[in-house]
Amino acid sequence: MKHFFKYMKPYWKKGLWTVFFTFINVLSVMILPSLMADIVNVGVLRGNTDIILSKGAIMVVVTLVGTAVMIAAAYYSSDISTKVATDVRQDLFKKAESLSLSQMDDVGVSSLITRTTNDVDMIRMITQMGLRMMARTPLMFISGIVMAFSKSPQLSILLLISMPFLAIFIFLVGKRAVPLFKVNQEKVDNMNRVLRENITGVRVVRAFDKKDYEMERFDSTNVELRQLNLRLNRIMSLLSPGIYLFLNVMIIIVIHRATKQIDLGYLEIGDLMAFTQYIFMILFSVVLLSMILIMIPRGEVSAKRIYKILSMEDKINITESGDISDGPVSLEFNDVSFRFDDAEECTIKNLSFQAKAGDTVAIIGGTGTGKSTVANLILRFFDVTQGSISFNGLDIRQWNLEALRQRIGHVPQKAQLFSGTIASNLRKGKPNATEEEMKKALKISQSMEFVEEYEDGLDHQVAQNGSNFSGGQKQRLSIARAIVRDPQIYIFDDSFSALDFRTEKNLQHQLEQETREAIRLIIAQKISTVEGADLIVVLDDDHVDGVGKHEQLLETSPVYREIYESQRSREVSSR
């Protein structure tokens, strides 16, 4: 939890006001039983109406003041805790955005969502409770004991002797409950993971008729979480009845002992009533303390989970103010090799090629040969294990990361649209894009034909994940988003797979005409997509099988020739 104190520093003045108002509230609560004792001892028993009225008026004023400062303390604590949670959530989201792809996979999307929601909300609750309860509890406990001693020292000693027994009971309950809170958060992670997989993969589940199987899997996860929560609730349900049983037993003992003191004249009835109220306050402060002691370990679990993300070292070394090269557009792979952290062998080994403005470079190969990894290395989602990648004559590791990515237009393998409008999706590529620029990008990407069919055109609504568009339409809109960016490097990662032959040819022709000042990197599976490229790189398992043009590779690259012949034979047979 100590790592989160820095989030409270900007609000320390409000924190002091919260403590001050809490102190005034506790003071007002402690005065009331003494005023009531005076009313009973002097006013009621002796028939002094003036004392009843005057003391009663003071009690009303004290109550109003106590209520006002309690509301003020609640307001400030809520304000601070909400802002702290907002700051933590913002930092957590920012950190998640900067994590490498391998780190994202290690943590898991469902776990990141749980940490950003449930765990941060637990930090908010702990902060709010800490500002009020951690100041209120010791003040109430100490002042309650002082006031109780002022009314009856003998009865107060009896109370102090019994307190260790209550403390032992609370400790035993907490000892059993606290370890289960960490397990509970892990179960919530697992529940979110199963739920997310089923919602995002609903088409696959239905297509393979796995509804019953997935229902059983969800039920199993749900039952595990339910059983754990029931176990936690059973343990925690002992706390409140146990404390109140102890409280009532103490009151019975106190009243029994107090009757003798009243008979002997050592104690008045009003003082007994006040002393009973102070017992309630002292034990109530113990109840609050027990709640804090239970909540802090829960908050500690959430804090550790959040801090684990915030403290992750960036695997990609981000240069905040690196050199920015605006020289002649060029891209060079110099003996590049790459190996994933947990892999024994390199995914890419000794890859070298050069490209300049206007060139089209194609990457082709079988599944799992590292084609998409080439794109990820250029974007610095990963850094090379060996060798170097130079952009405009400068190693990309020396570039400012933001400046580097601003010069790249990436169309991912899976077309991803965001809820909003067509225009807002295109402006993901260029925030200040004009309507003319967006229409030009739509025309190049062969998207204008279906966008014009909508009455609202660019303002047409895009559903979540672009579910109201076909696969080909989403792919073309993703290409348009990259085109409107007007980058120096275009990366098309298997981005034409959902397009028919005619649309693909028209799109590539338009791209060649409109992007002569940029480098086009095309990652594809089809020979028809790459055969017109200026340079084709053929990947096979962990090595480069060939680099050259289409005709050259047919003679020198066995892998390329095999792909060509297999696709050609399928085309012939389909006729």
Side-chain angles (χ1 to χ4, degrees):
M1 294 291 289
K2 64 181 180 180
H3 301 291
F4 293 89
F5 290 153
K6 65 178 182 180
Y7 289 99
M8 296 185 64
K9 286 183 179 179
Y11 316 110
W12 67 271
K13 291 183 179 179
K14 290 184 178 180
L16 290 179
W17 278 112
T18 303
V19 174
F20 173 74
F21 288 135
T22 300
F23 174 76
I24 299 298
N25 177 252
V26 171
L27 189 63
S28 66
V29 170
M30 287 300 162
I31 291 173
L32 291 175
S34 293
L35 294 171
M36 183 188 66
D38 292 339
I39 290 175
V40 173
N41 293 335
V42 181
V44 176
L45 296 180
R46 298 177 186 177
N48 191 331
T49 307
D50 292 338
I51 290 294
I52 294 174
L53 293 175
S54 62
K55 296 291 184 181
I58 294 173
M59 287 184 71
V60 171
V61 173
V62 170
T63 301
L64 291 175
V65 171
T67 302
V69 295
M70 182 175 64
I71 292 172
Y75 170 79
Y76 277 118
S77 62
S78 298
D79 182 67
I80 294 171
S81 62
T82 302
K83 288 178 178 177
V84 166
T86 300
D87 294 343
V88 173
R89 191 179 291 112
Q90 188 168 355
D91 283 355
L92 188 59
F93 181 79
K94 184 179 178 181
K95 185 65 178 182
E97 287 286 291
S98 69
L99 293 178
S100 68
L101 299 183
S102 60
Q103 287 174 316
M104 290 280 285
D105 292 338
D106 291 341
V107 177
V109 175
S110 59
S111 182
L112 278 173
I113 292 172
T114 304
R115 294 173 205 234
T116 309
T117 52
N118 290 14
D119 289 330
V120 172
D121 196 54
M122 180 58 65
I123 296 296
R124 181 192 62 78
M125 291 173 59
I126 290 294
T127 304
Q128 184 176 5
M129 180 179 288
L131 288 168
R132 294 180 60 195
M133 301 305 181
M134 287 184 183
R136 183 184 183 88
T137 299
L139 287 173
M140 183 176 288
F141 183 79
I142 295 171
S143 57
I145 290 177
V146 171
M147 296 300 290
F149 262 94
S150 69
K151 298 300 179 183
S152 176
Q154 293 179 342
L155 295 177
S156 298
I157 291 173
L158 178 65
L159 178 64
L160 291 177
I161 292 173
S162 63
M163 292 299 292
F165 296 99
L166 180 60
I168 291 172
F169 170 73
I170 294 172
F171 171 77
L172 292 175
V173 172
K175 186 178 180 181
R176 293 189 62 189
V178 168
L180 297 178
F181 290 128
K182 181 178 180 180
V183 181
N184 184 68
Q185 292 300 98
E186 293 173 354
K187 295 293 184 184
V188 172
D189 277 353
N190 194 34
M191 166 74 76
N192 286 342
R193 179 180 57 80
V194 173
L195 188 61
R196 183 175 179 276
E197 287 177 352
N198 274 273
I199 292 174
T200 56
V202 63
R203 288 181 175 84
V204 177
V205 172
R206 292 177 180 176
F208 286 89
D209 195 22
K210 291 295 182 180
K211 182 179 178 181
D212 292 339
Y213 170 78
E214 292 298 332
M215 182 63 72
E216 289 178 5
R217 192 160 74 104
F218 180 80
D219 285 344
S220 175
T221 307
N222 197 21
V223 168
E224 286 180 5
L225 184 59
R226 182 195 68 187
Q227 289 176 343
L228 181 63
N229 282 323
L230 285 174
R231 186 179 173 189
L232 264 172
N233 289 333
R234 290 191 191 102
I235 295 172
M236 296 302 297
S237 64
L238 298 174
L239 192 62
S240 182
I243 291 174
Y244 283 103
L245 175 63
F246 180 85
L247 172 63
N248 290 316
V249 169
M250 279 301 305
I251 291 174
I252 292 171
I253 296 173
V254 165
I255 293 175
H256 175 71
R257 297 293 299 272
T259 52
K260 295 181 180 180
Q261 295 189 19
I262 291 173
D263 290 339
L264 296 173
Y266 297 141
L267 187 68
E268 295 188 77
I269 293 176
D271 291 334
L272 174 60
M273 295 173 65
F275 186 82
T276 305
Q277 290 297 314
Y278 289 131
I279 291 178
F280 271 105
M281 293 177 188
I282 293 169
L283 293 180
F284 182 67
S285 67
V286 175
V287 172
L288 292 179
L289 179 62
S290 67
M291 291 175 61
I292 293 171
L293 293 176
I294 294 297
M295 291 294 290
I296 286 178
R298 293 185 65 181
E300 189 73 21
V301 171
S302 295
K304 286 180 179 178
R305 284 161 53 85
I306 294 172
Y307 183 69
K308 183 179 179 180
I309 304 299
L310 294 177
S311 62
M312 279 186 171
E313 294 184 5
D314 293 327
K315 290 190 175 181
I316 303 299
N317 182 25
I318 299 175
T319 305
E320 296 294 341
S321 57
D323 295 330
I324 296 177
S325 174
D326 283 318
V329 178
S330 63
L331 177 68
E332 180 180 358
F333 273 61
N334 182 21
D335 198 29
V336 169
S337 296
F338 174 75
R339 178 177 59 84
F340 288 102
D341 291 340
D342 299 331
E344 296 181 359
E345 299 292 336
C346 288
T347 303
I348 297 173
K349 185 180 291 185
N350 306 124
L351 174 60
S352 297
F353 68 85
Q354 294 180 356
K356 61 184 185 299
D359 286 348
T360 299
V361 179
I363 311 291
I364 194 170
T367 302
T369 54
K371 300 187 299 297
S372 295
T373 304
V374 174
N376 292 334
L377 290 174
I378 297 172
L379 287 158
R380 287 200 70 198
F381 291 157
F382 304 104
D383 270 338
V384 298
T385 305
Q386 179 183 320
S388 64
I389 301 174
S390 296
F391 176 46
N392 294 359
L394 184 68
D395 192 316
I396 62 173
R397 287 170 292 192
Q398 297 177 15
W399 275 77
N400 174 280
L401 190 59
E402 183 179 351
L404 172 68
R405 290 175 178 170
Q406 284 177 348
R407 286 162 171 76
I408 300 173
H410 179 223
V411 184
Q413 196 168 18
K414 181 181 179 181
Q416 177 69 53
L417 299 180
F418 299 86
S419 57
T421 63
I422 292 175
S424 68
N425 271 273
L426 295 182
R427 287 193 172 109
K428 296 283 185 184
K430 185 179 180 181
N432 59 346
T434 63
E435 185 174 342
E436 290 74 19
E437 288 174 324
M438 290 188 287
K439 286 183 176 180
K440 181 180 179 181
L442 291 172
K443 183 179 178 182
I444 296 171
S445 66
Q446 310 298 301
S447 305
M448 186 59 79
E449 58 185 39
F450 68 84
V451 172
E452 286 180 336
E453 294 178 359
Y454 304 124
E455 293 182 3
D456 44 2
L458 288 169
D459 294 323
H460 186 71
Q461 289 294 313
V462 178
Q464 186 177 5
N465 294 324
S467 58
N468 55 334
F469 292 93
S470 69
Q473 289 173 335
K474 287 195 290 186
Q475 208 164 59
R476 281 179 280 175
L477 288 174
S478 295
I479 294 170
R481 181 173 59 205
I483 294 172
V484 80
R485 193 177 186 89
D486 192 24
Q488 294 180 344
I489 297 180
Y490 288 88
I491 300 177
F492 301 99
D493 189 355
D494 201 13
S495 307
F496 309 123
S497 57
L499 306 182
D500 60 81
F501 181 79
R502 175 175 167 274
T503 302
E504 181 184 340
K505 286 299 179 185
N506 289 338
L507 195 157
Q508 290 210 43
H509 176 71
Q510 288 283 334
L511 278 174
E512 290 178 8
Q513 296 298 318
E514 301 293 340
T515 61
R516 294 181 183 275
E517 301 301 319
I519 296 171
R520 296 173 295 277
L521 181 71
I522 299 175
I523 298 169
Q525 304 262 8
K526 298 184 295 183
I527 293 292
S528 59
T529 302
V530 306
E531 60 183 351
D534 299 296
L535 186 70
I536 303 172
V537 178
V538 185
L539 299 180
D540 182 37
D541 293 333
D542 62 346
H543 68 279
V544 180
D545 189 72
V547 177
K549 291 191 174 184
H550 174 69
E551 295 79 7
Q552 179 184 356
L553 290 173
L554 285 176
E555 298 178 2
T556 60
S557 172
V559 173
Y560 188 81
R561 187 166 55 250
E562 181 182 350
I563 296 172
Y564 173 78
E565 291 175 352
S566 63
Q567 292 184 8
R568 186 179 180 184
S569 62
R570 283 201 300 269
E571 290 176 3
V572 172
S573 61
S574 64
R575 294 173 186 172

